[in-house]
Amino acid sequence: MKHHLRTLGGALSLLVMAATATAATSLPTATSQTASQQFRQLYTREWTWRQTQLGGADEDHPDQQSGHLPDVSAQAQARREAYWTQILQKLDAIKPVQLQGEDKVNYAVYRQQIEVLLSDQRARTWEMPFNSDTAFWSDLGFSARAHFNSLQDYRSYLQMLREVPRYFRQQTANMRLGLARGFSQPQEILKGRDQDIAQVADTPLPANLLYTPFRNLPADMPSEQQAALRKAAEQVIGAQVIPAYQQLLHFFRSEYIPHARHTLAAEDLPDGKAFYRSQILEYTTLDMSPDAIHALGLREMASIHQQMLDTIKQTGFKGSFAQFLQFLRTDPRFYAKTPDELLKDASWIAKQVDGKIGQYIGRLPRERFGIIPVPADLAPIYTGGRGGPGVYMVNTYNLPARPLYSLPALTLHESSPGHALQMPLAAERQGLPDFRRYSYISAYGEGWALYCEYLGVEMGMYQSPYDRFGYLSYQAWRAARLVVDTGLHHLHWSREQARAYLRANTALAEHEIDTEVDRYVAWPGQALSYYLGELAIRHDRQRAAQALGARFDIRAFHDAVLATGSVPLPVLDQQIDAFIADGGRSPYADPASTVAP
């Protein structure tokens, strides 16, 4: 996935909004090849097709961006569904027991990916191509903020802008199809969701966000080249892109919002019960019922709540739990006074982690990350922070909603050893197929990042009872997601019920509670992946420690978890079984290990 910020959204938006499957006729057929050869040929061709058609890569050079936006028309969606159906049939013909070495694991990971892609196609999720903070139109803003290294980067960006009118027409047609069958985002969470559309639609050049790359062109670029690029950008943005955003804004305000559904639950969508179960399976990789998840969430919340009460005693506070939460939400000592103060505190925490991380993880990635604020146009509807390869974004909007006592847990999750460590480490893992190095499975990725908050206890990152309470509040927040997500989508809770539950059980600020509930409503099942993923990793660690006894090495265990790339939780369990059987050795200790030097 070339555009890492799209991945952070967690979101598989480009996989949901895909293009025509021109390579469908060239699938490998059974020959005298071994099962492993057939499998590798199959996934290599499909992965190349997936990147060129869904991710904007160049058809002849899949490692380069083409500047094309995908074809997301209904006809292309049908062809893609047919293509992945054929892929799954080909996988059915391959017997995993006949595969060699790592291909047994590759098969399990790859099959899950194809099943998810096909499930989304059959559910026609492309008719609802946005959620509460991520959308096809805001993805273009991330492209505008990207780092441009060459003249070709600028030309590719201009080519992408030229395709915006066609791309928006197709997305609008898809959303109309969704409206017609009751498959839309709920009207109740759409207030203000058009702000980032309006920000582009209503801002003339040269201040327009999409003109950003052309304001400060490289000093060593010839002046005539600079002038030509700026002229081309002014023409395409002024004559094509801004009108496309204006038309989208009109559609959103006059047609989509008025006709959006009035229910909240995913189970109220067409074939809703099956759809919600498919989303649970996609995001958690576990076949659990909503009722079982809800019950688990209630049990975990009770345990965490007792830990929170114990921590309150350590602060010396004499009031009730609710009064303590009110104290945390209103006392100025817990909030930064300026955006720079918040960013500097986050940077200091991340640097403290740098000094300790080598004691807990053996193999560290080469790629470093920076810390930046969430872009102003996204910040009002964005989460408190988000991280990934090369970046940890901290939301400096509405500082009274960004408590400092939660900042250590947030930083561990989003930067190192969380997302900004795990994703680059997977990409640097040599020998694994690209579909394992560059794909993202929420239960694994978010589970690891949440586990990193837990690891912060052992690392000594929570240096006061308030920091400790902030960590526990974050744990409660993720456990509460098991209750709230299933409450909204299965038990038909109201938005206010969900808000009240978070307000009563976590130290989240009111603004964060609002943005979080809207996120859960708009993105069924995704919120379940965090806590279930963390529980799986903690369980794997516990059984590895028990089985290995004195041979257990925490650095080797973390290497074993991180070396897998993004995998379903059942596959991770199997990998830890192998780690235990191998005596607890780090996968990087093996001379034959497929690791970058």
Side-chain angles (χ1 to χ4, degrees):
M1 286 174 282
K2 303 295 184 183
H3 202 317
H4 299 306
L5 288 173
R6 285 196 186 104
T7 309
L8 304 180
L12 297 173
S13 57
L14 285 185
L15 299 182
V16 172
M17 304 180 293
T20 173
T22 55
T25 58
S26 59
L27 296 176
T29 57
T31 65
S32 58
Q33 294 174 310
T34 67
S36 283
Q37 288 173 328
Q38 292 177 36
F39 174 54
R40 290 170 190 170
Q41 185 181 10
L42 182 71
Y43 73 62
T44 299
R45 291 186 180 182
E46 187 277 334
W47 176 258
T48 299
W49 167 82
R50 203 190 310 179
Q51 301 318 293
T52 57
Q53 300 297 323
L54 312 184
D58 184 84
E59 188 169 355
D60 296 323
H61 304 282
D63 59 331
Q64 300 176 14
Q65 293 299 93
S66 68
H68 293 294
L69 290 169
D71 179 358
V72 296
S73 65
Q75 294 82 3
Q77 307 291 356
R79 288 193 291 270
R80 187 168 69 257
E81 181 178 339
Y83 178 71
W84 277 319
T85 299
Q86 291 182 50
I87 291 288
L88 194 58
Q89 291 169 351
K90 294 288 184 180
L91 283 173
D92 287 339
I94 296 172
K95 304 303 180 185
V97 294
Q98 297 175 351
L99 297 174
Q100 301 170 354
E102 191 71 12
D103 277 338
K104 289 184 172 65
V105 179
N106 293 337
Y107 183 93
V109 177
Y110 183 72
R111 187 181 183 93
Q112 190 265 356
Q113 287 187 17
I114 298 301
E115 287 175 344
V116 164
L117 292 167
L118 190 53
S119 175
D120 279 347
Q121 286 305 116
R122 290 169 175 168
R124 292 160 60 183
T125 56
W126 45 270
E127 294 178 347
M128 193 161 49
F130 70 98
N131 58 40
S132 62
D133 68 10
T134 303
F136 63 88
W137 60 83
S138 56
D139 283 343
L140 299 177
F142 283 123
S143 296
R145 299 183 188 93
H147 181 67
F148 289 65
N149 296 308
S150 66
L151 178 61
Q152 184 56 44
D153 288 342
Y154 290 97
R155 288 173 173 167
S156 293
Y157 178 69
L158 285 170
Q159 177 59 39
M160 182 193 73
L161 293 180
R162 293 185 186 100
E163 297 190 9
V164 166
R166 182 269 305 165
Y167 184 59
F168 279 19
R169 285 194 301 271
Q170 290 177 338
Q171 297 285 16
T172 300
N174 291 343
M175 289 189 283
R176 284 195 175 106
L177 291 173
L179 286 174
R181 68 184 184 100
F183 191 79
S184 75
Q185 292 291 359
Q187 189 179 86
E188 190 171 349
I189 67 164
L190 293 177
K191 182 180 179 181
R193 192 60 188 88
D194 57 355
Q195 290 179 3
D196 48 348
I197 307 175
Q199 195 265 347
V200 175
D202 298 340
T203 304
L205 296 168
N208 195 283
L209 168 65
L210 300 183
Y211 189 73
T212 301
F214 303 97
R215 292 196 199 110
N216 295 293
L217 292 165
D220 59 353
M221 180 180 286
S223 57
E224 62 273 14
Q225 253 182 19
Q226 292 191 27
L229 286 173
R230 288 193 174 108
K231 181 178 180 181
E234 289 164 6
Q235 289 175 340
V236 69
I237 294 172
Q240 299 180 51
V241 177
I242 290 178
Y245 271 84
Q246 291 169 341
Q247 290 169 14
L248 177 65
L249 184 63
H250 177 74
F251 163 77
F252 204 79
R253 289 174 172 173
S254 66
E255 190 171 339
Y256 196 87
I257 294 177
H259 295 98
R261 64 187 171 107
H262 295 282
T263 59
L264 295 181
E267 290 193 358
D268 290 331
L269 291 166
D271 200 17
K273 289 186 181 297
F275 174 69
Y276 187 43
R277 286 297 293 263
S278 75
Q279 297 303 287
I280 291 174
L281 182 59
E282 173 176 340
Y283 288 111
T284 73
T285 69
L286 301 172
D287 188 14
M288 293 182 68
S289 72
D291 289 320
I293 293 172
H294 192 85
L296 174 63
L298 292 173
R299 291 195 300 272
E300 292 296 318
M301 284 296 294
S303 173
I304 296 168
H305 185 75
Q306 184 57 54
Q307 297 176 60
M308 294 169 84
L309 293 176
D310 294 341
T311 305
I312 292 173
K313 291 179 183 178
Q314 296 171 21
T315 70
F317 187 83
K318 302 302 182 184
S320 67
F321 184 78
Q323 288 170 331
F324 185 71
L325 294 184
Q326 181 64 14
F327 160 64
L328 290 181
R329 288 172 178 144
T330 57
D331 195 300
R333 82 178 85 170
F334 299 122
Y335 298 89
K337 296 178 178 60
T338 67
D340 275 353
E341 181 184 345
L342 187 64
L343 290 167
K344 288 175 181 177
D345 281 356
S347 301
W348 170 236
I349 293 166
K351 196 59 189 173
Q352 287 179 297
V353 173
D354 272 354
K356 300 180 179 185
I357 193 64
Q359 302 169 35
Y360 295 90
I361 298 173
R363 171 71 61 166
L364 299 174
R366 290 178 174 178
E367 184 173 1
R368 305 294 88 192
F369 64 90
I371 300 176
I372 62 172
V374 172
D377 58 303
L378 290 178
I381 59 171
Y382 220 60
T383 54
R386 201 163 288 185
V391 66
Y392 165 32
M393 296 196 303
V394 178
N395 200 332
T396 58
Y397 170 81
N398 191 6
L399 289 175
R402 316 296 173 196
L404 295 174
Y405 54 77
S406 296
L407 196 57
L410 177 69
T411 301
L412 287 161
H413 184 112
E414 301 294 351
S415 65
S416 175
H419 292 314
L421 181 147
Q422 180 268 317
M423 290 182 185
L425 199 60
E428 293 171 16
R429 183 79 153 96
Q430 298 297 309
L432 292 182
D434 284 352
F435 69 80
R436 285 180 63 183
R437 295 171 64 198
Y438 300 114
S439 292
Y440 189 79
I441 295 175
S442 192
Y444 173 90
E446 300 300 345
W448 168 258
L450 188 52
Y451 169 80
C452 290
E453 297 179 28
Y454 164 78
L455 193 60
V457 177
E458 298 176 28
M459 296 173 71
M461 296 304 301
Y462 307 116
Q463 298 173 3
S464 73
Y466 298 111
D467 290 347
R468 169 77 174 174
F469 190 88
Y471 155 69
L472 289 171
S473 178
Y474 263 33
Q475 287 285 297
W477 170 28
R478 275 46 168 267
R481 289 175 173 180
L482 305 184
V483 179
V484 172
D485 195 281
T486 52
L488 286 164
H489 295 296
H490 177 62
L491 301 178
H492 296 82
W493 282 13
S494 68
R495 187 166 176 257
E496 184 50 42
Q497 277 179 283
R499 293 173 71 245
Y501 190 86
L502 289 178
R503 191 183 300 117
N505 290 284
T506 75
L508 291 174
E510 199 68 21
H511 176 80
E512 266 199 299
I513 289 171
D514 289 344
T515 56
E516 285 300 312
V517 170
D518 286 353
R519 175 186 171 191
Y520 309 152
V521 171
W523 206 355
Q526 193 272 346
L528 305 174
S529 60
Y530 295 70
Y531 202 75
L532 293 176
E534 183 198 8
L535 287 179
I537 295 173
R538 288 174 65 171
H539 175 70
D540 282 338
R541 174 176 166 175
Q542 181 182 39
R543 65 192 185 86
Q546 289 175 345
L548 294 167
R551 293 179 297 166
F552 180 77
D553 178 349
I554 190 62
R555 297 167 79 247
F557 171 76
H558 291 147
D559 283 351
V561 172
L562 291 165
T564 65
S566 200
V567 297
L569 297 180
V571 174
L572 181 61
D573 288 344
Q574 294 167 9
Q575 292 296 89
I576 299 306
D577 288 340
F579 168 75
I580 294 169
D582 194 38
R585 290 195 308 158
S586 168
Y588 302 105
D590 185 349
S593 175
T594 53
V595 180

